[in-house]
Amino acid sequence: MTKLLTVFGATGQQGGSLIDYVLKNPELSKLYHLRGITRDASKASATSLRERGVQVIQADLSDFQSLVAAVANSYAVFGVTNYWDKGSAAIEIAQGKAIADAALVAGVTLLIWSSLPNVSLMSSGTLTEVAHFDSKAEVEEYIRSLPILSSFFMAGWYMQNHLSYMRPKLQDNGSIVLSQTWSPTALLPMIDITDTGKFSAPILLDPAKYNGKSFTCATAFYTPLEIVEIWTKVTGKKVTYAQVGADEARGNLTAEMQRKLKKSTGLIDDYSYFGPTGRDGLDWTLDQLTDAPNTWESFVKAKEPWFS
Ligand SMILES: NC(=O)c1ccc[n+]([C@@H]2O[C@H](COP(=O)([O-])OP(=O)(O)OC[C@H]3O[C@@H](n4cnc5c(N)ncnc54)[C@H](OP(=O)(O)O)[C@@H]3O)[C@@H](O)[C@H]2O)c1
Protein backbone atom coordinates (compact mmCIF):
# COMPACT_ATOMS: atom_id res chain seq x y z
CA MET A 1 0.00 0.00 0.00
CA THR A 2 1.30 3.49 -0.82
CA LYS A 3 2.00 6.04 1.89
CA LEU A 4 0.42 9.47 2.03
CA LEU A 5 2.61 12.50 1.28
CA THR A 6 0.91 15.79 2.17
CA VAL A 7 2.26 18.86 0.43
CA PHE A 8 1.74 22.41 1.65
CA GLY A 9 1.97 25.17 -0.95
CA ALA A 10 0.54 22.67 -3.45
CA THR A 11 -0.71 25.45 -5.73
CA GLY A 12 2.63 27.26 -5.53
CA GLN A 13 6.08 26.82 -7.00
CA GLN A 14 7.82 24.55 -4.47
CA GLY A 15 4.86 22.39 -3.47
CA GLY A 16 3.44 22.28 -6.99
CA SER A 17 6.70 21.12 -8.50
CA LEU A 18 7.20 18.48 -5.82
CA ILE A 19 3.76 17.09 -6.67
CA ASP A 20 4.55 17.09 -10.41
CA TYR A 21 7.77 15.22 -9.77
CA VAL A 22 6.26 12.55 -7.51
CA LEU A 23 3.41 11.94 -9.98
CA LYS A 24 5.84 11.47 -12.88
CA ASN A 25 8.59 9.56 -11.04
CA PRO A 26 8.10 5.77 -11.36
CA GLU A 27 9.74 4.95 -8.02
CA LEU A 28 8.13 7.69 -5.94
CA SER A 29 4.67 7.26 -7.44
CA LYS A 30 4.76 3.60 -6.41
CA LEU A 31 5.64 4.59 -2.85
CA TYR A 32 3.44 7.65 -2.32
CA HIS A 33 -0.01 8.97 -3.02
CA LEU A 34 -0.55 12.68 -2.68
CA ARG A 35 -2.56 15.28 -0.83
CA GLY A 36 -2.22 18.97 -1.64
CA ILE A 37 -3.15 21.81 0.70
CA THR A 38 -4.62 25.14 -0.39
CA ARG A 39 -6.70 27.89 1.19
CA ASP A 40 -9.11 27.68 -1.73
CA ALA A 41 -9.99 24.21 -2.98
CA SER A 42 -12.25 25.66 -5.68
CA LYS A 43 -9.56 27.52 -7.61
CA ALA A 44 -8.34 26.33 -11.01
CA SER A 45 -4.94 25.14 -9.78
CA ALA A 46 -6.69 23.00 -7.11
CA THR A 47 -9.03 21.51 -9.72
CA SER A 48 -6.06 20.68 -11.89
CA LEU A 49 -4.43 18.85 -8.96
CA ARG A 50 -7.60 16.81 -8.40
CA GLU A 51 -7.71 15.94 -12.10
CA ARG A 52 -4.23 14.44 -11.72
CA GLY A 53 -5.28 12.25 -8.80
CA VAL A 54 -4.17 14.48 -5.93
CA GLN A 55 -6.52 14.71 -2.97
CA VAL A 56 -7.07 18.41 -2.27
CA ILE A 57 -7.75 19.61 1.26
CA GLN A 58 -8.58 23.17 2.20
CA ALA A 59 -6.65 24.50 5.19
CA ASP A 60 -5.02 27.70 6.38
CA LEU A 61 -1.59 27.87 7.97
CA SER A 62 -3.00 30.34 10.49
CA ASP A 63 -5.75 27.94 11.61
CA PHE A 64 -4.19 25.15 13.68
CA GLN A 65 -7.24 22.87 13.72
CA SER A 66 -7.41 22.97 9.93
CA LEU A 67 -3.76 21.85 9.85
CA VAL A 68 -4.34 18.86 12.10
CA ALA A 69 -7.08 17.70 9.72
CA ALA A 70 -4.87 18.52 6.72
CA VAL A 71 -2.05 16.21 7.80
CA ALA A 72 -4.17 13.39 9.29
CA ASN A 73 -3.00 9.92 8.19
CA SER A 74 0.08 11.31 6.44
CA TYR A 75 3.36 9.41 6.49
CA ALA A 76 5.29 12.42 5.20
CA VAL A 77 4.66 16.17 5.04
CA PHE A 78 6.38 18.81 2.93
CA GLY A 79 6.01 22.14 4.74
CA VAL A 80 6.52 25.53 3.13
CA THR A 81 5.33 28.97 4.16
CA ASN A 82 5.14 32.09 2.04
CA TYR A 83 6.84 34.90 3.97
CA TRP A 84 5.81 37.41 1.31
CA ASP A 85 2.10 36.68 1.78
CA LYS A 86 2.01 38.81 4.94
CA GLY A 87 5.62 40.04 5.08
CA SER A 88 5.85 39.12 8.76
CA ALA A 89 8.49 36.94 10.42
CA ALA A 90 6.26 36.40 13.45
CA ILE A 91 3.48 35.02 11.24
CA GLU A 92 5.87 32.83 9.25
CA ILE A 93 7.38 31.41 12.48
CA ALA A 94 3.93 30.71 13.93
CA GLN A 95 2.76 29.05 10.71
CA GLY A 96 5.89 26.90 10.39
CA LYS A 97 5.73 25.75 14.00
CA ALA A 98 2.03 25.03 13.56
CA ILE A 99 2.81 22.67 10.65
CA ALA A 100 5.31 20.86 12.89
CA ASP A 101 2.92 20.69 15.84
CA ALA A 102 0.10 19.40 13.64
CA ALA A 103 2.44 16.75 12.21
CA LEU A 104 3.31 15.61 15.73
CA VAL A 105 -0.33 15.45 16.79
CA ALA A 106 -1.13 13.39 13.70
CA GLY A 107 1.79 10.99 14.23
CA VAL A 108 3.52 11.90 10.96
CA THR A 109 6.84 10.06 10.45
CA LEU A 110 8.74 12.50 8.22
CA LEU A 111 8.63 16.28 7.96
CA ILE A 112 10.53 18.04 5.16
CA TRP A 113 10.72 21.73 6.02
CA SER A 114 11.48 24.39 3.44
CA SER A 115 14.14 26.22 5.39
CA LEU A 116 16.86 28.82 4.89
CA PRO A 117 20.02 29.71 6.83
CA ASN A 118 19.98 31.89 9.93
CA VAL A 119 21.62 35.01 8.52
CA SER A 120 21.87 36.84 11.86
CA LEU A 121 23.97 33.96 13.22
CA MET A 122 25.92 33.37 10.02
CA SER A 123 26.91 37.05 9.87
CA SER A 124 27.70 37.24 13.61
CA GLY A 125 24.99 39.82 14.08
CA THR A 126 25.95 42.03 11.13
CA LEU A 127 22.93 41.27 8.93
CA THR A 128 19.96 41.14 11.25
CA GLU A 129 17.14 42.14 8.94
CA VAL A 130 16.98 39.19 6.56
CA ALA A 131 13.78 38.25 8.28
CA HIS A 132 12.53 35.76 5.67
CA PHE A 133 15.67 33.64 6.19
CA ASP A 134 15.93 33.91 9.98
CA SER A 135 12.26 33.06 10.47
CA LYS A 136 12.56 29.81 8.50
CA ALA A 137 15.74 28.94 10.42
CA GLU A 138 13.91 29.48 13.71
CA VAL A 139 11.24 27.01 12.63
CA GLU A 140 14.00 24.56 11.62
CA GLU A 141 15.56 24.81 15.07
CA TYR A 142 12.17 24.06 16.61
CA ILE A 143 11.59 21.06 14.34
CA ARG A 144 15.04 19.67 15.21
CA SER A 145 13.94 19.58 18.86
CA LEU A 146 10.89 17.41 18.10
CA PRO A 147 10.59 13.60 18.02
CA ILE A 148 9.99 13.34 14.27
CA LEU A 149 12.24 12.47 11.33
CA SER A 150 13.08 15.76 9.65
CA SER A 151 15.08 17.01 6.68
CA PHE A 152 15.54 20.51 5.37
CA PHE A 153 15.08 21.75 1.80
CA MET A 154 16.98 25.03 1.49
CA ALA A 155 16.14 26.65 -1.83
CA GLY A 156 18.73 28.82 -3.52
CA TRP A 157 17.91 31.87 -5.58
CA TYR A 158 15.07 30.98 -7.96
CA MET A 159 15.97 31.24 -11.65
CA GLN A 160 12.28 32.11 -11.98
CA ASN A 161 12.93 35.48 -10.25
CA HIS A 162 14.42 36.57 -13.57
CA LEU A 163 11.20 35.89 -15.46
CA SER A 164 9.41 38.67 -13.64
CA TYR A 165 10.67 41.30 -11.27
CA MET A 166 14.35 40.68 -12.01
CA ARG A 167 14.15 40.49 -15.77
CA PRO A 168 16.80 42.49 -17.66
CA LYS A 169 15.40 45.71 -19.12
CA LEU A 170 15.64 47.08 -22.62
CA GLN A 171 17.19 50.55 -22.34
CA ASP A 172 16.36 53.58 -24.52
CA ASN A 173 19.67 53.09 -26.36
CA GLY A 174 18.66 49.51 -27.31
CA SER A 175 20.98 47.73 -24.87
CA ILE A 176 19.67 45.06 -22.49
CA VAL A 177 20.79 45.40 -18.90
CA LEU A 178 20.37 43.41 -15.71
CA SER A 179 20.66 45.96 -12.90
CA GLN A 180 21.27 44.69 -9.39
CA THR A 181 23.04 45.67 -6.22
CA TRP A 182 25.34 42.65 -6.19
CA SER A 183 29.01 42.83 -7.06
CA PRO A 184 29.57 41.53 -10.64
CA THR A 185 31.63 38.68 -9.17
CA ALA A 186 29.32 37.78 -6.27
CA LEU A 187 28.29 34.12 -6.06
CA LEU A 188 24.62 33.37 -6.39
CA PRO A 189 23.40 29.76 -5.89
CA MET A 190 20.63 29.35 -8.49
CA ILE A 191 17.85 26.77 -8.59
CA ASP A 192 15.17 26.11 -11.17
CA ILE A 193 12.45 25.77 -8.55
CA THR A 194 10.64 23.21 -10.71
CA ASP A 195 13.49 20.95 -9.52
CA THR A 196 12.09 20.84 -5.97
CA GLY A 197 11.22 17.16 -6.48
CA LYS A 198 14.73 16.23 -7.62
CA PHE A 199 16.11 17.57 -4.33
CA SER A 200 13.36 16.04 -2.17
CA ALA A 201 13.41 12.59 -3.79
CA PRO A 202 16.38 11.16 -1.83
CA ILE A 203 14.68 12.12 1.44
CA LEU A 204 11.35 10.59 0.42
CA LEU A 205 13.11 7.39 -0.65
CA ASP A 206 15.15 7.02 2.56
CA PRO A 207 13.89 9.24 5.41
CA ALA A 208 16.07 7.62 8.08
CA LYS A 209 19.28 8.13 6.08
CA TYR A 210 18.60 11.84 5.72
CA ASN A 211 17.22 12.52 9.19
CA GLY A 212 18.56 15.88 10.36
CA LYS A 213 20.24 16.65 7.02
CA SER A 214 20.01 19.97 5.20
CA PHE A 215 19.89 20.01 1.43
CA THR A 216 21.57 23.03 -0.18
CA CYS A 217 19.32 23.27 -3.20
CA ALA A 218 20.89 24.86 -6.26
CA THR A 219 22.52 23.76 -9.50
CA ALA A 220 25.66 25.84 -9.07
CA PHE A 221 26.95 29.22 -7.94
CA TYR A 222 26.81 31.77 -10.77
CA THR A 223 28.23 35.29 -10.79
CA PRO A 224 26.09 38.10 -12.26
CA LEU A 225 28.66 38.29 -15.06
CA GLU A 226 28.16 34.59 -15.87
CA ILE A 227 24.39 35.03 -15.71
CA VAL A 228 24.40 37.74 -18.38
CA GLU A 229 27.01 35.93 -20.50
CA ILE A 230 24.72 32.92 -20.69
CA TRP A 231 21.74 35.10 -21.65
CA THR A 232 23.89 36.62 -24.41
CA LYS A 233 25.09 33.21 -25.64
CA VAL A 234 21.61 31.66 -25.73
CA THR A 235 19.56 34.58 -27.07
CA GLY A 236 22.18 36.08 -29.40
CA LYS A 237 21.40 39.50 -27.89
CA LYS A 238 24.02 41.27 -25.83
CA VAL A 239 23.01 41.42 -22.17
CA THR A 240 25.20 43.36 -19.75
CA TYR A 241 25.32 43.65 -15.99
CA ALA A 242 25.17 46.94 -14.08
CA GLN A 243 25.76 47.15 -10.35
CA VAL A 244 23.45 49.87 -9.08
CA GLY A 245 22.19 51.28 -5.79
CA ALA A 246 19.35 49.48 -4.01
CA ASP A 247 16.72 52.05 -4.98
CA GLU A 248 17.39 51.71 -8.70
CA ALA A 249 17.55 47.91 -8.69
CA ARG A 250 14.11 46.82 -7.73
CA GLY A 251 11.61 49.11 -9.35
CA ASN A 252 8.79 46.54 -9.45
CA LEU A 253 8.78 45.73 -5.74
CA THR A 254 6.61 47.24 -3.04
CA ALA A 255 8.30 49.80 -0.78
CA GLU A 256 8.29 47.28 2.09
CA MET A 257 9.90 44.54 -0.04
CA GLN A 258 12.50 47.05 -1.26
CA ARG A 259 13.33 48.07 2.30
CA LYS A 260 13.73 44.48 3.43
CA LEU A 261 15.68 43.36 0.38
CA LYS A 262 18.00 46.35 0.65
CA LYS A 263 19.07 44.95 3.99
CA SER A 264 19.96 41.61 2.44
CA THR A 265 22.38 42.89 -0.19
CA GLY A 266 25.42 41.88 1.89
CA LEU A 267 24.01 38.38 2.10
CA ILE A 268 24.94 37.72 -1.53
CA ASP A 269 28.16 39.75 -1.70
CA ASP A 270 29.66 38.72 1.62
CA TYR A 271 28.04 35.37 2.37
CA SER A 272 27.10 33.91 -1.05
CA TYR A 273 23.52 33.36 0.26
CA PHE A 274 24.21 30.08 2.09
CA GLY A 275 27.22 31.29 4.12
CA PRO A 276 30.61 29.62 4.60
CA THR A 277 29.24 26.07 4.41
CA GLY A 278 27.44 26.75 1.11
CA ARG A 279 30.02 25.29 -1.26
CA ASP A 280 30.47 22.04 0.69
CA GLY A 281 26.73 21.83 1.31
CA LEU A 282 26.04 22.11 -2.41
CA ASP A 283 28.68 19.51 -3.34
CA TRP A 284 27.23 17.07 -0.78
CA THR A 285 23.68 17.73 -1.91
CA LEU A 286 24.45 17.22 -5.61
CA ASP A 287 26.08 13.90 -4.71
CA GLN A 288 22.78 12.68 -3.25
CA LEU A 289 20.72 13.33 -6.41
CA THR A 290 19.95 10.81 -9.11
CA ASP A 291 18.38 13.42 -11.39
CA ALA A 292 20.67 16.34 -12.26
CA PRO A 293 19.13 19.77 -11.68
CA ASN A 294 18.60 22.16 -14.57
CA THR A 295 21.39 24.60 -15.36
CA TRP A 296 20.91 28.33 -15.87
CA GLU A 297 21.72 27.76 -19.55
CA SER A 298 19.02 25.10 -19.96
CA PHE A 299 16.55 27.34 -18.10
CA VAL A 300 17.30 30.32 -20.35
CA LYS A 301 16.89 28.10 -23.45
CA ALA A 302 13.58 26.71 -22.20
CA LYS A 303 12.15 30.17 -21.51
CA GLU A 304 12.88 31.71 -24.93
CA PRO A 305 11.97 34.22 -26.23
CA TRP A 306 13.33 36.68 -23.63
CA PHE A 307 13.77 39.83 -25.64
CA SER A 308 11.44 40.11 -28.60
N1 LIG B 1 12.14 33.55 -4.69
C1 LIG B 1 13.25 33.00 -4.22
O1 LIG B 1 14.32 33.13 -4.82
C2 LIG B 1 13.18 32.15 -2.97
C3 LIG B 1 14.33 31.45 -2.59
C4 LIG B 1 14.27 30.64 -1.42
C5 LIG B 1 13.11 30.58 -0.68
N2 LIG B 1 12.01 31.31 -1.08
C6 LIG B 1 10.83 31.23 -0.21
O2 LIG B 1 9.82 30.50 -0.86
C7 LIG B 1 8.60 30.72 -0.14
C8 LIG B 1 7.44 30.69 -1.10
O3 LIG B 1 7.39 29.43 -1.71
P1 LIG B 1 6.84 29.31 -3.21
O4 LIG B 1 7.75 30.07 -4.12
O5 LIG B 1 6.59 27.90 -3.48
O6 LIG B 1 5.48 30.14 -3.06
P2 LIG B 1 4.37 30.58 -4.13
O7 LIG B 1 4.62 29.98 -5.46
O8 LIG B 1 4.24 32.06 -4.01
O9 LIG B 1 3.06 29.90 -3.51
C9 LIG B 1 2.69 30.12 -2.18
C10 LIG B 1 1.97 28.90 -1.71
O10 LIG B 1 1.74 29.02 -0.29
C11 LIG B 1 0.38 28.75 -0.03
N3 LIG B 1 -0.02 29.55 1.13
C12 LIG B 1 0.31 30.85 1.37
N4 LIG B 1 -0.27 31.25 2.52
C13 LIG B 1 -0.97 30.18 3.01
C14 LIG B 1 -1.77 29.98 4.14
N5 LIG B 1 -1.98 30.96 5.05
N6 LIG B 1 -2.33 28.77 4.33
C15 LIG B 1 -2.13 27.77 3.43
N7 LIG B 1 -1.37 27.90 2.33
C16 LIG B 1 -0.80 29.10 2.11
C17 LIG B 1 -0.36 29.15 -1.29
O11 LIG B 1 -1.55 28.40 -1.36
P3 LIG B 1 -3.00 29.01 -1.71
O12 LIG B 1 -2.80 30.42 -2.19
O13 LIG B 1 -3.54 28.09 -2.77
O14 LIG B 1 -3.74 28.93 -0.43
C18 LIG B 1 0.62 28.73 -2.37
O15 LIG B 1 0.46 27.37 -2.70
C19 LIG B 1 8.75 32.09 0.55
O16 LIG B 1 8.64 31.95 1.95
C20 LIG B 1 10.15 32.56 0.12
O17 LIG B 1 10.82 33.24 1.18
C21 LIG B 1 12.02 32.06 -2.20
Side-chain angles (χ1 to χ4, degrees):
M1 210 174 74
T2 57
K3 297 169 177 169
L4 176 59
L5 166 61
T6 293
V7 179
F8 285 90
T11 59
Q13 300 181 87
Q14 293 186 19
S17 42
L18 174 59
I19 288 175
D20 284 343
Y21 190 82
V22 173
L23 287 174
K24 287 180 194 149
N25 182 280
E27 215 177 342
L28 286 171
S29 60
K30 273 197 205 107
L31 282 178
Y32 289 99
H33 61 286
L34 288 157
R35 177 185 290 166
I37 309 303
T38 172
R39 285 165 295 181
D40 179 3
S42 68
K43 67 195 219 183
S45 48
T47 303
S48 145
L49 287 171
R50 268 191 299 271
E51 284 168 359
R52 290 186 294 149
V54 178
Q55 180 193 18
V56 175
I57 298 272
Q58 191 162 305
D60 192 312
L61 290 170
S62 295
D63 171 358
F64 183 68
Q65 285 315 319
S66 77
L67 298 187
V68 175
V71 300
N73 303 316
S74 303
Y75 171 83
V77 168
F78 178 85
V80 58
T81 42
N82 184 10
Y83 174 86
W84 301 106
D85 195 55
K86 295 278 189 288
S88 156
I91 291 176
E92 180 163 61
I93 292 164
Q95 291 181 338
K97 288 183 176 177
I99 293 176
D101 289 340
L104 266 195
V105 170
V108 167
T109 299
L110 167 67
L111 174 57
I112 302 175
W113 168 243
S114 179
S115 193
L116 282 173
N118 185 323
V119 179
S120 295
L121 275 183
M122 173 211 292
S123 67
S124 308
T126 314
L127 296 174
T128 54
E129 291 213 36
V130 192
H132 58 299
F133 278 55
D134 287 2
S135 50
K136 293 176 179 71
E138 186 172 328
V139 176
E140 172 176 334
E141 199 183 340
Y142 179 68
I143 292 171
R144 285 181 182 276
S145 75
L146 301 176
I148 188 168
L149 295 183
S150 55
S151 301
F152 303 94
F153 168 86
M154 298 204 298
W157 177 260
Y158 293 8
M159 294 178 188
Q160 279 76 1
N161 294 338
H162 294 285
L163 290 170
S164 53
Y165 66 101
M166 291 200 184
R167 208 177 173 98
K169 291 203 177 75
L170 183 62
Q171 310 296 304
D172 292 343
N173 65 6
S175 65
I176 301 166
V177 182
L178 175 69
S179 304
Q180 281 306 323
T181 54
W182 316 312
S183 147
T185 54
L187 293 169
L188 195 61
M190 295 179 87
I191 179 175
D192 176 347
I193 200 60
T194 67
D195 282 341
T196 299
K198 292 179 187 172
F199 288 97
S200 307
I203 306 166
L204 290 169
L205 291 171
D206 195 344
K209 177 176 177 186
Y210 293 106
N211 184 31
K213 302 286 187 205
S214 289
F215 279 59
T216 300
C217 301
T219 309
F221 288 91
Y222 295 89
T223 67
L225 289 180
E226 287 167 337
I227 291 170
V228 295
E229 269 164 25
I230 289 168
W231 253 317
T232 301
K233 177 179 157 196
V234 172
T235 66
K237 301 209 168 133
K238 179 79 182 156
V239 184
T240 56
Y241 180 70
Q243 185 178 12
V244 295
D247 293 325
E248 283 168 82
R250 296 178 168 119
N252 297 338
L253 300 187
T254 63
E256 176 61 4
M257 279 173 99
Q258 285 208 23
R259 194 190 70 76
K260 284 186 191 298
L261 284 170
K262 234 188 252 184
K263 301 280 185 183
S264 62
T265 297
L267 174 63
I268 308 298
D269 278 0
D270 303 333
Y271 297 95
S272 307
Y273 187 104
F274 284 121
T277 59
R279 182 71 75 177
D280 287 349
L282 179 58
D283 288 347
W284 176 85
T285 301
L286 294 174
D287 278 349
Q288 311 312 309
L289 307 189
T290 47
D291 238 354
N294 298 332
T295 62
W296 172 238
E297 182 165 342
S298 63
F299 180 85
V300 172
K301 276 185 189 148
K303 299 298 176 189
E304 286 263 49
W306 285 88
F307 317 114
S308 39

